[in-house]
Amino acid sequence: MRQQRRDSSDHGRRRRLARRIGELFGEFLAEALLASVALALFAGVLAAGAWGWQHSPAATVVLVAGIALFLAFGVHQLATRRAGQRKRGRLAAAAVGTVVFVFIWAMYLVLYLPSP
């Protein structure tokens, strides 16, 4: 009887260990996929900027300035919003969402880009 309990207990431990290893591997794969997507997006932004600069430097500067102003507007909306204040418009919501996305993406890239 004791041998049977020990065998079933050992089987349960193995099952839990296998489940934990599976979870760890799944988290590793998810993290690797997220890092790959973030770095690919960064490479795409750099390639688009280089391509734009080659074809029309003035248009590229205007586009980057427009994006910077849009992000600044989003930061302004985040900084000046007070509790209880009425809801802002769709443009403000889009700007705030873009700022939050860019901030999270930039912080994620800081972890994965090699430092000098």
Side-chain angles (χ1 to χ4, degrees):
M1 185 75 163
R2 282 187 172 170
Q3 182 64 29
Q4 187 179 8
R5 282 190 206 152
R6 186 178 297 145
D7 288 344
S8 74
S9 169
D10 194 36
H11 183 66
R13 282 189 209 138
R14 287 182 185 166
R15 190 177 275 173
R16 285 192 301 272
L17 180 63
R19 188 178 320 129
R20 287 181 183 162
I21 290 173
E23 288 175 3
L24 181 65
F25 186 68
E27 287 179 18
F28 173 77
L29 283 179
E31 188 70 26
L33 179 66
L34 192 59
S36 298
V37 168
L39 292 173
L41 182 60
F42 183 63
V45 168
L46 288 180
W51 180 84
W53 187 260
Q54 285 178 346
H55 291 285
S56 178
T60 305
V61 169
V62 169
L63 177 66
V64 169
I67 291 171
L69 285 173
F70 185 70
L71 291 174
F73 175 66
V75 170
H76 172 71
Q77 293 298 316
L78 273 174
T80 60
R81 177 145 185 176
R82 295 192 180 109
Q85 193 177 17
R86 71 178 186 90
K87 206 172 174 184
R88 306 257 172 128
R90 289 182 185 178
L91 181 63
V96 168
T98 304
V99 166
V100 170
F101 173 78
V102 168
F103 179 76
I104 291 171
W105 177 57
M107 291 299 104
Y108 196 78
L109 282 176
V110 166
L111 294 174
Y112 286 100
L113 288 177
S115 59

